[in-house]
Amino acid sequence: MEFDFTELEPQSRYRLLTNFIGPRPIALVTTLSEAGHNNAAPMSFFNVFSHDPPIVVLGIQPRLSGEEKDTMANIRRTQEFAISMVDMAISQQMLVCGLGFDSEIDELSMAGLTAKTCSKIAASYPVEAPCVFECRVERLIDYPRRTLVLGEVVHMHVRRECLDGDGRYVDPERYQPIARLHADNYIASDRQFVLTAPPIADFIKPQEK
Ligand SMILES: Cc1cc2nc3c(=O)[nH]c(=O)nc-3n(C[C@H](O)[C@H](O)[C@H](O)COP(=O)(O)O)c2cc1C
């Protein structure tokens, strides 16, 4: 089948993009409300796009009513947010944070997560998360139906056991984030495998070498 995205209506574009571009990592985004409450919401329109500068991007859409989500309003006001990666242990709590609570509800506490104050920004993160990135807004790109939030990572927390003995690389047996596929389908990274590229010389004829 072929789909002309220039002709498709937005709902079909959403269905096809989210059904086929995956798995997408999940950021549990924590921000501070104007009244000082912890807000938390999962976002799977999320990834890292640069290390120098260290930039992550979120895609946040408004509610069906057109109103901004609490996460977006808080980011706009404070220019700061934290991203916690999500593993199986906090997958249910992540879903609770995705429910549409009023802005005065502390969503970390509602989900049974333990809030800890961030080191460099005015927000908290759940200590149960395997790793957390503290971010400051680098720029916002506003489209009518979505805002792209480019965040510069200013600090990282990672649970020691998620790193190897030298503390440099990830321990794949210990750090196993989950990711979103389509709708309510998710995938765990507990079946990892090593894929090594063959040497380029294997593909070049002798006279070309
Ligand atoms: C796994 C998952 C991924 C989600 N990804 C996004 C996303 O990328 N962008 C978005 O706007 N909403 C996303 N949502 C929906 C928000 O989390 C939901 O609207 C939430 O209630 C917003 O909360 P807030 O008003 O506290 O910001 C996602 C929900 C789930 C469960």
Side-chain angles (χ1 to χ4, degrees):
M1 285 178 81
E2 311 291 324
F3 297 97
D4 180 351
F5 267 60
T6 63
E7 299 288 341
L8 277 180
E9 81 284 8
Q11 268 316 103
S12 298
R13 294 198 296 255
Y14 179 87
R15 175 173 44 82
L16 289 166
L17 289 168
T18 58
N19 276 225
F20 287 92
I21 301 183
R24 298 182 304 284
I26 300 168
L28 181 57
V29 185
T30 46
T31 51
L32 204 60
S33 79
E34 200 160 11
H37 302 296
N38 291 317
N39 190 87
M43 301 284 161
S44 72
F45 280 55
F46 157 63
N47 220 310
V48 56
F49 284 91
S50 168
H51 75 291
D52 191 14
I55 300 289
V56 293
V57 181
L58 300 170
I60 305 183
Q61 61 179 345
R63 298 202 181 100
L64 288 176
S65 62
E67 198 192 357
E68 259 188 348
K69 292 184 180 176
D70 295 335
T71 302
M72 193 61 245
N74 293 341
I75 289 176
R76 240 183 245 290
R77 196 187 62 260
T78 64
Q79 300 284 299
E80 294 178 332
F81 61 97
I83 282 175
S84 298
M85 298 302 289
V86 176
D87 59 12
M88 272 306 229
I90 58 167
S91 54
Q92 284 302 321
Q93 291 89 329
M94 174 276 291
L95 288 178
V96 174
C97 292
L99 302 176
F101 295 111
D102 287 346
S103 56
E104 65 270 19
I105 300 291
D106 183 318
E107 286 162 329
L108 286 180
S109 122
M110 189 60 105
L113 293 165
T114 317
K116 185 166 183 196
T117 307
C118 287
S119 302
K120 295 206 178 117
I121 63 165
S124 294
Y125 65 91
V127 294
E128 292 83 357
C131 64
V132 181
F133 298 91
E134 297 186 15
C135 306
R136 291 205 180 100
V137 169
E138 196 277 334
R139 74 187 71 186
L140 301 177
I141 303 173
D142 283 305
Y143 295 99
R145 294 286 304 144
R146 198 168 285 266
T147 299
L148 300 190
V149 178
L150 277 69
E152 178 163 0
V153 178
V154 292
H155 195 84
M156 177 185 185
H157 307 265
V158 55
R159 209 186 295 140
R160 180 64 185 90
E161 70 191 38
C162 293
L163 292 163
D164 64 10
D166 294 338
R168 282 173 60 77
Y169 295 99
V170 73
D171 179 342
E173 294 298 321
R174 297 295 187 128
Y175 178 61
Q176 299 187 335
I178 61 166
R180 194 177 201 182
L181 287 160
H182 58 280
D184 287 342
N185 285 51
Y186 294 83
I187 190 164
S189 39
D190 56 354
R191 281 180 51 209
Q192 299 182 25
F193 56 93
V194 175
L195 208 54
T196 312
I200 193 170
D202 289 1
F203 296 85
I204 300 171
K205 296 188 203 94
Q207 65 270 26
E208 292 172 345
K209 282 186 185 168

CSV table of all heavy atoms in Angstrom, one decimal, residues 66-100:
chain,number,residue,atom,x,y,z
A,66,GLY,N,-7.5,21.6,22.9
A,66,GLY,CA,-6.7,22.6,22.4
A,66,GLY,C,-5.8,23.3,23.5
A,66,GLY,O,-4.8,24.0,23.2
A,67,GLU,N,-6.2,22.9,24.7
A,67,GLU,CA,-5.4,23.5,25.9
A,67,GLU,C,-4.0,22.8,25.9
A,67,GLU,O,-3.9,21.7,25.6
A,67,GLU,CB,-6.2,23.1,27.1
A,67,GLU,CG,-5.9,23.9,28.3
A,67,GLU,CD,-6.6,23.3,29.6
A,67,GLU,OE1,-7.3,22.3,29.4
A,67,GLU,OE2,-6.4,23.7,30.7
A,68,GLU,N,-3.0,23.6,26.4
A,68,GLU,CA,-1.7,23.0,26.6
A,68,GLU,C,-1.7,22.0,27.7
A,68,GLU,O,-2.4,22.2,28.8
A,68,GLU,CB,-0.7,24.1,26.9
A,68,GLU,CG,0.1,24.5,25.7
A,68,GLU,CD,1.2,25.4,26.0
A,68,GLU,OE1,1.4,26.0,27.1
A,68,GLU,OE2,2.0,25.6,25.0
A,69,LYS,N,-0.9,20.9,27.6
A,69,LYS,CA,-0.7,20.0,28.7
A,69,LYS,C,0.1,20.6,29.8
A,69,LYS,O,0.8,21.6,29.5
A,69,LYS,CB,0.0,18.7,28.2
A,69,LYS,CG,-0.9,17.9,27.2
A,69,LYS,CD,-0.3,16.6,26.7
A,69,LYS,CE,-1.2,15.9,25.8
A,69,LYS,NZ,-0.7,14.7,25.2
A,70,ASP,N,-0.1,20.1,31.0
A,70,ASP,CA,0.6,20.7,32.1
A,70,ASP,C,2.2,20.7,31.9
A,70,ASP,O,2.8,21.7,32.2
A,70,ASP,CB,0.3,20.0,33.4
A,70,ASP,CG,-1.2,20.1,33.8
A,70,ASP,OD1,-1.8,21.1,33.4
A,70,ASP,OD2,-1.7,19.2,34.5
A,71,THR,N,2.7,19.6,31.3
A,71,THR,CA,4.1,19.5,31.1
A,71,THR,C,4.6,20.7,30.2
A,71,THR,O,5.6,21.3,30.5
A,71,THR,CB,4.4,18.2,30.3
A,71,THR,OG1,4.0,17.1,31.2
A,71,THR,CG2,5.9,18.0,30.1
A,72,MET,N,3.8,21.0,29.1
A,72,MET,CA,4.2,22.0,28.2
A,72,MET,C,4.1,23.4,28.9
A,72,MET,O,5.1,24.2,28.7
A,72,MET,CB,3.3,21.9,27.0
A,72,MET,CG,3.8,22.8,25.8
A,72,MET,SD,5.4,22.2,25.2
A,72,MET,CE,6.4,23.7,25.6
A,73,ALA,N,3.1,23.6,29.6
A,73,ALA,CA,2.9,24.9,30.3
A,73,ALA,C,4.0,25.1,31.3
A,73,ALA,O,4.6,26.2,31.4
A,73,ALA,CB,1.5,25.0,31.0
A,74,ASN,N,4.4,24.0,32.0
A,74,ASN,CA,5.5,24.2,33.0
A,74,ASN,C,6.8,24.4,32.3
A,74,ASN,O,7.6,25.2,32.8
A,74,ASN,CB,5.5,22.9,33.9
A,74,ASN,CG,4.3,22.8,34.8
A,74,ASN,OD1,3.6,23.7,35.0
A,74,ASN,ND2,4.1,21.6,35.2
A,75,ILE,N,7.1,23.7,31.2
A,75,ILE,CA,8.3,23.9,30.5
A,75,ILE,C,8.4,25.3,30.0
A,75,ILE,O,9.5,26.0,30.1
A,75,ILE,CB,8.5,22.9,29.4
A,75,ILE,CG1,8.7,21.4,30.0
A,75,ILE,CG2,9.6,23.2,28.5
A,75,ILE,CD1,8.8,20.3,29.0
A,76,ARG,N,7.3,25.8,29.4
A,76,ARG,CA,7.3,27.2,28.9
A,76,ARG,C,7.7,28.2,30.0
A,76,ARG,O,8.4,29.1,29.8
A,76,ARG,CB,5.9,27.5,28.3
A,76,ARG,CG,6.0,27.8,26.9
A,76,ARG,CD,4.6,28.2,26.4
A,76,ARG,NE,4.1,27.3,25.4
A,76,ARG,CZ,4.5,27.1,24.2
A,76,ARG,NH1,5.5,27.9,23.8
A,76,ARG,NH2,4.0,26.2,23.4
A,77,ARG,N,7.1,28.0,31.2
A,77,ARG,CA,7.2,28.9,32.3
A,77,ARG,C,8.6,28.8,32.9
A,77,ARG,O,9.3,29.8,33.1
A,77,ARG,CB,6.1,28.7,33.3
A,77,ARG,CG,6.0,29.9,34.3
A,77,ARG,CD,5.0,29.6,35.4
A,77,ARG,NE,5.4,28.5,36.2
A,77,ARG,CZ,5.0,27.2,36.1
A,77,ARG,NH1,4.0,26.9,35.2
A,77,ARG,NH2,5.5,26.3,36.9
A,78,THR,N,9.0,27.6,33.2
A,78,THR,CA,10.3,27.4,34.0
A,78,THR,C,11.5,27.2,33.1
A,78,THR,O,12.6,27.5,33.6
A,78,THR,CB,10.2,26.2,34.9
A,78,THR,OG1,10.1,25.0,34.1
A,78,THR,CG2,9.0,26.2,35.8
A,79,GLN,N,11.3,26.8,31.9
A,79,GLN,CA,12.4,26.5,30.9
A,79,GLN,C,13.3,25.4,31.4
A,79,GLN,O,14.4,25.2,31.0
A,79,GLN,CB,13.3,27.8,30.7
A,79,GLN,CG,12.5,29.0,30.1
A,79,GLN,CD,12.3,28.8,28.6
A,79,GLN,OE1,13.2,28.7,27.8
A,79,GLN,NE2,11.0,28.8,28.3
A,80,GLU,N,12.7,24.5,32.3
A,80,GLU,CA,13.5,23.4,32.8
A,80,GLU,C,12.6,22.2,32.9
A,80,GLU,O,11.4,22.3,33.2
A,80,GLU,CB,14.0,23.8,34.2
A,80,GLU,CG,15.0,24.9,34.2
A,80,GLU,CD,15.5,25.3,35.6
A,80,GLU,OE1,14.8,25.2,36.5
A,80,GLU,OE2,16.7,25.8,35.6
A,81,PHE,N,13.2,21.0,32.8
A,81,PHE,CA,12.5,19.7,32.9
A,81,PHE,C,13.5,18.6,33.1
A,81,PHE,O,14.7,18.7,32.7
A,81,PHE,CB,11.6,19.5,31.7
A,81,PHE,CG,12.3,19.3,30.4
A,81,PHE,CD1,12.7,18.1,29.9
A,81,PHE,CD2,12.7,20.5,29.7
A,81,PHE,CE1,13.3,18.0,28.6
A,81,PHE,CE2,13.3,20.4,28.4
A,81,PHE,CZ,13.7,19.1,27.9
A,82,ALA,N,13.1,17.5,33.7
A,82,ALA,CA,13.9,16.3,33.9
A,82,ALA,C,13.3,15.2,33.1
A,82,ALA,O,12.1,15.0,33.1
A,82,ALA,CB,14.1,16.0,35.4
A,83,ILE,N,14.2,14.3,32.6
A,83,ILE,CA,13.7,13.1,31.8
A,83,ILE,C,14.2,11.9,32.6
A,83,ILE,O,15.4,11.7,32.7
A,83,ILE,CB,14.2,13.2,30.4
A,83,ILE,CG1,13.4,14.1,29.6
A,83,ILE,CG2,14.2,11.8,29.8
A,83,ILE,CD1,14.0,14.3,28.2
A,84,SER,N,13.3,11.1,33.0
A,84,SER,CA,13.7,9.8,33.6
A,84,SER,C,13.4,8.7,32.6
A,84,SER,O,12.3,8.7,32.0
A,84,SER,CB,12.8,9.5,34.8
A,84,SER,OG,13.0,10.5,35.8
A,85,MET,N,14.4,7.8,32.4
A,85,MET,CA,14.1,6.7,31.5
A,85,MET,C,13.3,5.7,32.3
A,85,MET,O,13.3,5.7,33.6
A,85,MET,CB,15.5,6.1,31.1
A,85,MET,CG,16.3,7.0,30.3
A,85,MET,SD,15.5,7.6,28.7
A,85,MET,CE,15.5,6.2,27.7
A,86,VAL,N,12.5,4.9,31.6
A,86,VAL,CA,11.6,4.0,32.2
A,86,VAL,C,11.9,2.5,32.0
A,86,VAL,O,12.2,2.1,30.9
A,86,VAL,CB,10.2,4.2,31.6
A,86,VAL,CG1,9.1,3.3,32.2
A,86,VAL,CG2,9.7,5.7,31.9
A,87,ASP,N,12.0,1.7,33.1
A,87,ASP,CA,12.2,0.3,32.9
A,87,ASP,C,11.0,-0.5,33.4
A,87,ASP,O,10.0,0.2,33.8
A,87,ASP,CB,13.5,-0.2,33.6
A,87,ASP,CG,13.5,0.1,35.1
A,87,ASP,OD1,12.4,0.5,35.6
A,87,ASP,OD2,14.6,0.0,35.7
A,88,MET,N,11.0,-1.8,33.4
A,88,MET,CA,9.8,-2.6,33.7
A,88,MET,C,9.4,-2.3,35.2
A,88,MET,O,8.2,-2.2,35.4
A,88,MET,CB,10.2,-4.1,33.7
A,88,MET,CG,9.9,-4.7,32.3
A,88,MET,SD,8.3,-4.4,31.8
A,88,MET,CE,7.8,-6.0,31.3
A,89,ALA,N,10.4,-2.0,36.1
A,89,ALA,CA,10.0,-1.8,37.5
A,89,ALA,C,9.1,-0.6,37.7
A,89,ALA,O,8.4,-0.6,38.7
A,89,ALA,CB,11.3,-1.7,38.3
A,90,ILE,N,9.2,0.4,36.8
A,90,ILE,CA,8.4,1.6,37.0
A,90,ILE,C,7.4,1.8,35.9
A,90,ILE,O,6.9,2.9,35.6
A,90,ILE,CB,9.2,2.8,37.3
A,90,ILE,CG1,10.1,3.1,36.1
A,90,ILE,CG2,9.9,2.8,38.6
A,90,ILE,CD1,10.7,4.6,36.2
A,91,SER,N,7.1,0.7,35.1
A,91,SER,CA,6.2,0.8,33.9
A,91,SER,C,4.8,1.1,34.3
A,91,SER,O,4.1,2.0,33.7
A,91,SER,CB,6.3,-0.5,33.1
A,91,SER,OG,5.9,-1.6,33.9
A,92,GLN,N,4.3,0.5,35.4
A,92,GLN,CA,2.9,0.8,35.8
A,92,GLN,C,2.8,2.3,36.4
A,92,GLN,O,1.8,3.0,36.1
A,92,GLN,CB,2.4,-0.2,36.9
A,92,GLN,CG,2.1,-1.5,36.4
A,92,GLN,CD,1.0,-1.5,35.4
A,92,GLN,OE1,0.0,-0.7,35.5
A,92,GLN,NE2,1.1,-2.3,34.3
A,93,GLN,N,3.8,2.7,37.1
A,93,GLN,CA,3.8,4.0,37.6
A,93,GLN,C,3.9,5.1,36.5
A,93,GLN,O,3.3,6.1,36.6
A,93,GLN,CB,5.1,4.2,38.6
A,93,GLN,CG,5.0,3.4,39.9
A,93,GLN,CD,5.6,2.0,39.7
A,93,GLN,OE1,5.5,1.4,38.7
A,93,GLN,NE2,6.1,1.5,40.8
A,94,MET,N,4.6,4.7,35.4
A,94,MET,CA,4.7,5.6,34.3
A,94,MET,C,3.3,5.8,33.7
A,94,MET,O,2.9,6.9,33.3
A,94,MET,CB,5.7,5.0,33.2
A,94,MET,CG,5.8,5.7,31.9
A,94,MET,SD,4.5,5.2,30.7
A,94,MET,CE,4.9,3.5,30.3
A,95,LEU,N,2.5,4.7,33.6
A,95,LEU,CA,1.2,4.8,33.0
A,95,LEU,C,0.3,5.7,33.9
A,95,LEU,O,-0.5,6.4,33.4
A,95,LEU,CB,0.5,3.4,32.9
A,95,LEU,CG,1.1,2.5,31.8
A,95,LEU,CD1,0.5,1.1,31.8
A,95,LEU,CD2,1.0,3.1,30.4
A,96,VAL,N,0.4,5.5,35.2
A,96,VAL,CA,-0.4,6.4,36.1
A,96,VAL,C,-0.1,7.9,35.9
A,96,VAL,O,-1.0,8.7,35.8
A,96,VAL,CB,-0.1,6.0,37.6
A,96,VAL,CG1,-0.8,7.0,38.6
A,96,VAL,CG2,-0.6,4.5,37.9
A,97,CYS,N,1.2,8.2,35.7
A,97,CYS,CA,1.6,9.6,35.4
A,97,CYS,C,1.0,10.1,34.1
A,97,CYS,O,0.9,11.3,33.9
A,97,CYS,CB,3.1,9.7,35.4
A,97,CYS,SG,3.9,9.4,36.9
A,98,GLY,N,0.7,9.1,33.2
A,98,GLY,CA,0.1,9.5,31.9
A,98,GLY,C,-1.4,9.8,32.0
A,98,GLY,O,-2.0,10.3,31.0
A,99,LEU,N,-2.1,9.6,33.1
A,99,LEU,CA,-3.5,9.9,33.3
A,99,LEU,C,-3.7,11.4,33.4
A,99,LEU,O,-2.8,12.1,33.9
A,99,LEU,CB,-4.1,9.1,34.5
A,99,LEU,CG,-3.9,7.6,34.5
A,99,LEU,CD1,-4.4,7.0,35.7
A,99,LEU,CD2,-4.6,7.0,33.2
A,100,GLY,N,-4.9,11.9,33.1
A,100,GLY,CA,-5.1,13.3,33.0
A,100,GLY,C,-5.4,14.0,34.3
A,100,GLY,O,-6.5,14.5,34.5
